[in-house]
Amino acid sequence: MAEREGPRLDVPRAPRRALLPSYDPEMFGRFSERIARFLGTGRFLLWMTIVIVVWIGWNILAPQGWKFDEYPFIFLTLALSLQASYAAPLILLAQNRQDDRDRVNLEQDRSRNERSIADTEFLTREIAALRMGLGEVATRDWIRSELAELLKELGEREQGGTAAQDSDQDR
């Protein structure tokens, strides 16, 4: 039998070299969540306010040669627009990731609740079966009542028997 030339089907291929650089979407998502969390803090607002006040103060009060952004503050507007244009998609990405986590948690809670309901229904059926089975079992109170009735019958028979003997002796 002649052996085939070429790649074998039972041996995995060597990975191809990608033309585009690859990235880990989870790493990018975690990074965006960290940025979004920071953007939603008072610390960020404080630092942003300080930077803007210093920026405006510098460009108003500094000597003419040291100013880098004159009165309409075009460069500041551009910087804030750039910051907002990057912040908005990062915040949306972080919200989408949180929604995905919430959806997974909701599904897990739902399945846990379904298992709990099934377990509760099973235990309810088991308790009902035990109660039905106990209805056929002689309890201590039932045995006592039966013994009390038997003693009462025996007492009545003895009294009936002694009364019959007394009447026989009187004759």
Side-chain angles (χ1 to χ4, degrees):
M1 217 155 113
E3 261 192 58
R4 292 177 62 194
E5 295 287 326
R8 293 179 39 173
L9 294 177
D10 61 341
V11 177
R13 288 186 192 174
R16 291 185 188 177
R17 193 167 175 191
L19 297 176
L20 299 175
S22 65
Y23 72 98
D24 181 16
E26 287 300 312
M27 182 187 72
F28 186 72
R30 287 189 299 271
F31 176 71
S32 68
E33 283 179 341
R34 286 177 47 206
I35 290 174
R37 278 193 202 102
F38 176 67
L39 291 177
T41 62
R43 182 187 308 164
F44 171 74
L45 291 175
L46 178 69
W47 280 109
M48 188 169 170
T49 303
I50 290 171
V51 166
I52 291 173
V53 167
V54 168
W55 184 297
I56 292 173
W58 179 270
N59 287 296
I60 289 176
L61 302 174
Q64 190 60 30
W66 291 7
K67 293 180 182 179
F68 58 89
D69 192 17
E70 292 290 331
Y71 164 64
F73 307 116
I74 303 296
F75 189 52
L76 176 64
T77 305
L78 178 66
L80 292 176
S81 296
L82 183 65
Q83 181 265 332
S85 68
Y86 274 97
L90 289 174
I91 290 170
L92 289 174
L93 178 62
Q95 286 177 342
N96 289 341
R97 286 175 51 87
Q98 185 62 45
D99 288 343
D100 291 343
R101 277 195 299 273
D102 290 345
R103 192 175 308 112
V104 167
N105 287 337
L106 181 66
E107 288 298 322
Q108 288 174 347
D109 289 346
R110 189 173 291 140
S111 66
R112 228 179 279 128
N113 287 341
E114 288 173 0
R115 281 188 303 232
S116 295
I117 289 171
D119 290 344
T120 303
E121 288 175 355
F122 172 75
L123 291 174
T124 303
R125 287 192 301 272
E126 287 296 314
I127 289 172
L130 287 173
R131 285 184 177 169
M132 289 172 52
L134 280 177
E136 300 169 3
V137 173
T139 62
R140 182 174 31 186
D141 292 336
W142 182 78
I143 292 173
R144 283 184 181 160
S145 66
E146 290 295 314
L147 287 175
E149 286 180 27
L150 286 174
L151 285 174
K152 186 178 176 183
E153 283 181 32
L154 283 174
E156 288 174 359
R157 284 186 186 174
E158 277 186 17
Q159 286 178 357
T162 55
Q165 285 177 356
D166 288 340
S167 64
D168 287 341
Q169 288 177 357
D170 288 340
R171 286 195 204 162

